[in-house]
Amino acid sequence: MKISKLAAKPQLIKIKLTNKELVEKYKEEIEFHTWDRQPLTTFMELANANGKDSKPGDIIHLVKDLILDEDGKPVIRDENTIPTDVLLVAVGAIVERLGKL
């Protein structure tokens, strides 16, 4: 297969957070959307986010563009953010899927 056949525009996909602790705390599964494929720059920034040259704001900058609503708009913006426990599980779910889709 030619690699050009795999090239396509990113599509929104739904991710459900089924973490037992989150479901117990929030009384239901939490869902959000992200793109099924990321630009190479985003992928590389995520891979290097825990490196010695990274700054605390680096991961937040990336997360803003990865946790989206059903319309593809960032959920974390302006003064809006999500609880830390949800944020950590959501980031983990995105990173886990990066190489699998």
Side-chain angles (χ1 to χ4, degrees):
M1 173 189 301
K2 293 182 181 180
I3 198 165
S4 59
K5 291 186 178 201
L6 298 173
K9 289 184 179 182
Q11 301 293 314
L12 274 178
I13 57 169
K14 184 188 307 184
I15 296 179
K16 287 188 177 188
L17 303 179
T18 59
N19 175 288
K20 181 182 175 184
E21 290 80 18
L22 290 183
V23 172
E24 286 178 6
K25 182 175 181 180
Y26 297 101
K27 309 295 186 224
E28 61 184 307
E29 294 178 347
I30 298 169
E31 63 182 49
F32 67 97
H33 291 75
T34 196
W35 299 110
D36 66 343
R37 52 192 74 207
Q38 301 294 330
L40 185 56
T41 53
T42 301
F43 186 83
M44 294 305 295
E45 287 177 32
L46 274 173
N48 293 321
N50 288 329
K52 63 180 180 177
D53 296 327
S54 66
K55 298 178 272 307
D58 292 348
I59 195 80
I60 299 303
H61 163 73
L62 291 170
V63 167
K64 285 182 173 185
D65 295 331
L66 298 175
I67 299 176
L68 310 172
D69 65 16
E70 60 276 1
D71 297 319
K73 305 279 191 233
V75 174
I76 301 171
R77 62 183 184 283
D78 303 323
E79 296 179 3
N80 293 336
T81 190
I82 57 177
T84 304
D85 55 349
V86 176
L87 179 64
L88 291 172
V89 175
V91 170
I94 290 169
V95 171
E96 180 182 312
R97 285 167 176 74
L98 277 178
K100 294 183 180 179
L101 294 175

